[in-house]
Amino acid sequence: MNTPEQRRAPRKRPDYSVAVTDSITGQPLGHLGNLSSNGMLLIGQRVPRSEAVYQVSLPLPRHDGTAPTIEIGIQEQWHEPAATPGQTWAGYRIIAIGSADATQLDHWLQQT
């Protein structure tokens, strides 16, 4: 039995590994599992604090060979151990994004 999709915006999986970096510490936060206009799934080695807020940057490679980096504010919504030992899945809500970065994100989401 399929359950209906309950997300507010469709999520897109990247075709490649996208590292998400904590902009404040410069440390990797995880790799992008999927991304939408209002949230993301990260797969990481660290367990995030519940409801923690992060400022992160991530490249969004395009089919034309460019890879603009966007910077966004995210807040942890949930996390759980991944199937691979030592990894954690974490869901984040986007809480801050500039208009230029939102445009870059929209372009990336529309790529097929």
Side-chain angles (χ1 to χ4, degrees):
M1 171 187 227
N2 289 336
T3 57
E5 176 64 53
Q6 296 188 12
R7 293 182 178 132
R8 287 180 250 177
R11 301 240 170 161
K12 179 180 175 180
R13 287 184 164 171
D15 297 338
Y16 38 80
S17 179
V18 175
V20 178
T21 303
D22 182 321
S23 299
I24 306 301
T25 66
Q27 297 297 310
L29 197 57
H31 284 84
L32 191 61
N34 61 46
L35 179 63
S36 76
S37 60
N38 58 17
M40 67 174 61
L41 170 72
L42 291 184
I43 303 161
Q45 308 251 330
R46 301 183 317 191
V47 176
R49 293 182 330 274
S50 292
E51 299 184 26
V53 173
Y54 298 94
Q55 183 175 334
V56 299
S57 61
L58 62 144
L60 292 177
R62 295 179 167 185
H63 295 306
D64 66 5
T66 62
T69 297
I70 65 169
E71 192 160 304
I72 56 179
I74 58 174
Q75 183 176 25
E76 188 269 358
Q77 301 295 295
W78 61 268
H79 63 271
E80 62 185 43
T84 304
Q87 290 188 341
T88 300
W89 291 7
Y92 293 88
R93 177 173 57 103
I94 295 174
I95 58 172
I97 186 169
S99 59
D101 288 336
T103 299
Q104 294 293 340
L105 176 56
D106 287 342
H107 285 286
W108 184 82
L109 291 169
Q110 292 172 15
Q111 288 185 133
T112 55

